Amino acid sequence: MIKFLCRALAAGLACTALALPATAVRAATPAYSWNNVRIVAGGYVDGIIAHPAQSGLFYARTDIGGAYRYDATTATWVPLNDWTSPANSNWMGIETIAIDPNDAQKLYMVAGLYTQSWWGSNGAVLVSTNQGASFTAHSLSFRVGGNVDGRNAGEKLQVDPNLGSTLFYGTFNDASQPNTNGLWKSTDSGSTWNKVSGFPALSSDGSGVGVAFIAFYKPSGSKGSATKTIYVGVSTKTAASSLYKSTDGGVTWAAVAGGPAAGMMPQRGLIGPDGNLYITYGNAAGPNGMTAGQVWKYSVGWNSWTNITPPDPYNYASGFSGLAIDPARSGTLVVMTMDHWWPSDTMYRSTDAGATWTDVGAKAVRDSSLSPWITGGQAQAGFGNWGQAVIDPFDSTHAFYTFGGGIWASRDLTAADSGQATHWTVGSSGIEETAVLGLTSPTGGAPLVSAIGDVCGFVHTSLTTSPTTTVTNPVCGNGTGVDFAKNAPSKLVRVGTASNNSGNVFGAVSSDGGSTWTAFANQAGSSQGGGTVAVSADGGTVVWAPGDVAPARSTDNGNSWTSLSGMLPVGAQLLSDGYNANLFYAWNPSSGTFYTSSDKGVSWYASSTGLPTNGKASAVTGIQGDLWLATSSGLYRSTNSGWSWTRAASSTVSSAISVGFGKAAVGASYPAIYLAGTVSGTTGVFRSTDAGASWVRINDDQHQWGGYSLVVGDPRTFGTVYVVPASGRGILYGTSSN
């Protein structure tokens, strides 16, 4: 490798290249087992479906964390997209999902995160012939939107119930790719796709977000031949009709007259056993922004419409989205409100095709013991928000509904029909969809403390049991940074953005390992909060870099702050030394400048310039001045508090995303190093037990999670590493005895 010996001079930084021995990748590979740190859900599950041919077979999709299959024997959801490589991280967003109703092995999904022009990756259709155990990917020529407005609608991918080789897929309406907007058809089980030229809706209207749902009318066809009658709901605010119909198998299309007035955008549509097409509507794409909504049914046989909107006792301005039909009971359905923020979104149930409704949520009894934090802290204690629903086709008492934080399940849904309470338990076991923004593994106390988007973060006293609560006082919106005092590990500090319950309080300290927290009394002049934070090794000094003002220093746990304006830039990444309480560091990835303070953050110096302009810095716990820098152009190390840097493993590590440190191997003098990056042309998670001289890959192709954003080693258990995927798959931990 090449070592750069750099010295700070008056005119800048002088560097000399020194040749050092090359590194290697070891042949021996330790056996690693991978599991999620158990949070249980935490992100938006925006679609759920049941297979009509196999009891207990359900699929759920998420906006950023892939899809899941339900294992009825263990009541656990199995992730289906963990094989996704970093190169295909875009596929972790699932826009829509479909099953072949006549083949329980077939599964289809359209994968991709964003439709906007700034997103550079096209989508793909993923096809499985073994219930998601493996997939074949078929690339699309355009972008798709698993995490855009309107993702709550669906399903917009459907298999012809009479001819399983035929599928239709409706796109979002994106102005930057107008030639691809509309309806697409495959006649070879999803392998190839052609645009349906006779479908006019999206070529003439740019006000909505595209196709919302597709529904086949099965009686219009026969087994082995194409279904003739197909309905497509189009999300539009201006068109006279938002429902289109084909009677020739999708060749030609015509608008269906009637229904709600312009401005109601269809969300979901299903044809029930009674021959009615039920449709939910909102005045926005969702999942946010709805202030009005309706529910309608359209009689396929009579070509007539009926407004069946449930009455709202609160008269609160909101919409409808979730919809489920009971295939075993004609005229029985449930619908879910959307953006009914007070007192909560709810579920309405009808057993007479919408003539009358029961508010299921009004008498719902919920048991959150599987994931107790869901009903405390920031999460709503009501019925949840942004709900979608499904009724078990083999058991009318059994249902799931999804929401912005996971899934709930009931085994007595029909109790609502006699005015009784329904009972719901957390049905999210196996689903882990949080977006983790910060993570640390202290040398004492809880093994892990996290900073997490939307739900603030947790003190993980157990890796296998869901936390009882999020961190509190304050309960933040997005947790963005967390640190512990290296020589006093019970001292913790965390920062984040504000939530509805926190006011403008952005951070807190704990002196008891996170059991209790004391909020910052002063916010260092910040109105946004967030950013990164570091605490000195002795716990006496905190340095915080909010997202909107210059970093600041506090010696009284955030009661007062001294601005570091003029010494450190806004948005710097902060870290404390792994041993010496006097040393702090800051990294500016936009300029490639590293800063060092040797007086507990009072004064700062640009100790190195000209470093790569990206990446993450890490300090080695227990060693003074030992720093590593993971960048897209390689891995760098400093052993003198950032005043000079060595390009580490230059012959093998071509790029690095994150580097972390854990307990040393038996007989080793240096901590185990864990790396997310590219070594000898392979991108993955690697470990070194000899200070970076050699590396072994410790994940495999079935455990890639769409890429990696952060790795942290466990300082107390050799071989244990925590990995944060680039997508919303929570926190993974790997364990190995060798």
Side-chain angles (χ1 to χ4, degrees):
M1 65 183 171
I2 303 299
K3 180 175 182 178
F4 293 94
L5 180 61
C6 303
R7 297 179 177 87
L9 303 177
L13 196 70
C15 300
T16 303
L18 303 175
L20 294 175
T23 60
V25 179
R26 286 180 181 167
T29 301
Y32 260 79
S33 175
W34 294 96
N35 294 281
N36 269 102
V37 174
R38 194 166 171 82
I39 297 172
V40 183
Y44 188 23
V45 182
D46 49 6
I48 187 168
I49 60 175
H51 202 291
Q54 180 175 323
S55 178
L57 182 56
F58 300 86
Y59 295 98
R61 62 177 170 92
T62 73
D63 47 10
I64 61 172
Y68 294 80
R69 181 187 66 247
Y70 188 65
D71 183 342
T73 60
T74 61
T76 300
W77 294 90
V78 179
L80 301 180
N81 298 81
D82 284 357
W83 53 271
T84 305
S85 69
N88 294 316
S89 60
N90 180 50
W91 295 353
M92 292 299 287
I94 308 301
E95 181 185 282
T96 183
I97 193 167
I99 48 90
D100 183 337
N102 300 304
D103 187 343
Q105 296 299 311
K106 291 285 187 67
L107 173 66
Y108 302 88
M109 58 183 76
V110 175
L113 283 166
Y114 302 104
T115 60
Q116 289 88 338
S117 58
W118 45 260
W119 189 249
S121 300
N122 290 335
V125 177
L126 308 181
V127 180
S128 175
T129 58
N130 52 14
Q131 298 185 353
S134 61
F135 287 87
T136 300
H138 303 284
S139 297
L140 295 171
S141 60
F142 49 88
R143 299 178 297 277
V144 305
N147 193 33
V148 302
D149 287 347
R151 60 192 184 277
N152 44 282
E155 294 296 319
K156 53 204 293 184
L157 174 68
Q158 294 287 353
V159 180
D160 189 323
N162 290 302
L163 188 62
S165 59
T166 295
L167 295 88
F168 281 84
Y169 162 58
T171 73
F172 279 98
N173 189 17
D174 184 70
S176 66
Q177 45 186 11
N179 294 330
T180 62
N181 296 334
L183 196 63
W184 291 72
K185 179 180 180 181
S186 172
T187 58
D188 55 8
S189 299
S191 296
T192 60
W193 294 83
N194 293 289
K195 191 176 180 183
V196 178
S197 59
F199 188 76
L202 301 190
S203 60
S204 60
D205 182 83
S207 66
V209 295
V211 171
F213 70 83
I214 300 170
F216 287 91
Y217 184 53
K218 185 178 179 180
S220 66
S222 58
K223 185 177 181 180
S225 62
T227 301
K228 297 298 183 182
T229 301
I230 312 170
Y231 294 91
V232 173
V234 175
S235 182
T236 172
K237 285 187 176 182
T238 60
S241 176
S242 57
L243 183 66
Y244 288 79
K245 176 181 178 180
S246 174
T247 57
D248 55 11
V251 177
T252 60
W253 296 82
V256 178
M264 285 290 108
M265 304 168 73
Q267 297 289 310
R268 289 184 171 265
L270 293 170
I271 297 176
D274 58 359
N276 287 314
L277 171 60
Y278 295 90
I279 307 175
T280 54
Y281 293 88
N283 66 340
N288 276 306
M290 289 190 192
T291 57
Q294 296 175 2
V295 182
W296 286 69
K297 68 178 180 182
Y298 170 77
S299 172
V300 174
W302 293 100
N303 192 30
S304 61
W305 290 88
T306 306
N307 186 340
I308 58 170
T309 305
D312 179 10
Y314 301 98
N315 196 30
Y316 188 92
S318 64
F320 290 90
S321 182
L323 169 68
I325 300 292
D326 187 341
R329 298 188 177 193
S330 183
T332 297
L333 69 152
V334 299
V335 296
M336 305 287 292
T337 62
M338 181 158 280
D339 297 336
H340 198 294
W341 296 108
W342 188 88
S344 173
D345 274 314
T346 191
M347 173 190 288
Y348 289 100
R349 176 174 167 87
S350 176
T351 59
D352 53 13
T356 60
W357 295 91
T358 298
D359 184 349
V360 177
K363 292 186 176 181
V365 177
R366 302 200 305 168
D367 176 5
S368 64
S369 57
L370 183 70
S371 184
W373 69 270
I374 289 180
T375 53
Q378 183 188 20
Q380 291 186 357
F383 210 61
N385 60 307
W386 298 354
Q388 309 300 330
V390 67
I391 298 173
D392 190 332
F394 294 88
D395 181 0
S396 296
T397 69
H398 184 212
F400 294 102
Y401 78 84
T402 76
F403 72 113
I407 300 177
W408 290 87
S410 175
R411 288 284 180 178
D412 62 357
L413 177 63
T414 55
D417 302 341
S418 56
Q420 303 301 307
T422 58
H423 297 80
W424 299 83
T425 58
V426 173
S428 308
S429 183
I431 293 180
E432 298 291 346
E433 204 207 343
T434 51
V436 181
L437 306 178
L439 197 66
T440 191
S441 182
T443 53
L448 202 64
V449 184
S450 60
I452 296 180
D454 293 335
V455 297
C456 196
F458 300 95
V459 176
H460 302 269
T461 57
S462 169
L463 303 181
T464 58
T465 302
S466 177
T468 58
T469 182
T470 61
V471 290
T472 58
N473 192 32
V475 175
C476 59
N478 297 322
T480 60
V482 61
D483 194 21
F484 76 97
K486 307 308 183 291
N487 298 331
S490 61
K491 181 65 175 286
L492 304 172
V493 61
R494 60 181 175 86
V495 293
T497 61
S499 73
N500 293 334
N501 300 320
S502 69
N504 286 321
V505 179
F506 306 121
V509 296
S510 174
S511 297
D512 55 13
S515 295
T516 61
W517 295 88
T518 300
F520 292 170
N522 184 301
Q523 308 310 307
S526 175
S527 60
Q528 294 180 3
T532 61
V533 68
V535 59
S536 59
D538 61 2
T541 303
V542 175
V543 182
W544 174 30
D548 58 337
V549 296
R553 170 182 178 270
S554 175
T555 57
D556 54 11
N557 294 322
N559 288 312
S560 62
W561 297 88
T562 300
S563 175
L564 302 174
S565 178
M567 289 185 280
L568 292 179
V570 176
Q573 179 198 341
L574 298 175
L575 59 161
S576 57
D577 189 75
Y579 181 78
N580 189 329
N582 293 316
L583 293 170
F584 278 98
Y585 310 105
W587 163 239
N588 183 2
S590 63
S591 68
T593 303
F594 198 86
Y595 299 84
T596 301
S597 171
S598 59
D599 54 7
K600 294 193 173 184
V602 174
S603 56
W604 293 79
Y605 301 93
S607 50
S608 294
T609 60
L611 291 166
T613 55
N614 56 71
K616 297 183 180 75
S618 302
V620 182
T621 299
I623 303 177
Q624 177 175 317
D626 198 350
L627 306 167
W628 293 70
L629 189 62
T631 79
S632 61
S633 57
L635 188 61
Y636 294 79
R637 182 187 181 190
S638 172
T639 58
N640 58 3
S641 299
W643 291 94
S644 65
W645 291 87
T646 297
R647 172 73 188 275
S650 60
S651 64
T652 52
V653 180
S654 57
S655 68
I657 300 163
S658 177
V659 61
F661 310 92
K663 185 176 181 179
V666 175
S669 60
Y670 194 80
I673 308 175
Y674 299 95
L675 170 71
T678 303
V679 177
S680 298
T682 299
T683 301
V685 182
F686 298 85
R687 189 183 79 189
S688 174
T689 57
D690 53 13
S694 59
W695 300 89
V696 292
R697 187 184 180 194
I698 58 175
N699 71 320
D700 54 54
D701 288 351
Q702 293 304 307
H703 298 91
Q704 301 186 82
W705 315 290
Y708 327 96
S709 66
L710 188 63
V711 291
V712 174
D714 191 307
R716 287 174 274 180
T717 305
F718 169 69
T720 296
V721 60
Y722 305 98
V723 178
V724 176
S727 63
R729 275 285 285 119
I731 308 166
L732 282 301
Y733 69 99
T735 57
S736 175
S737 60
N738 63 322

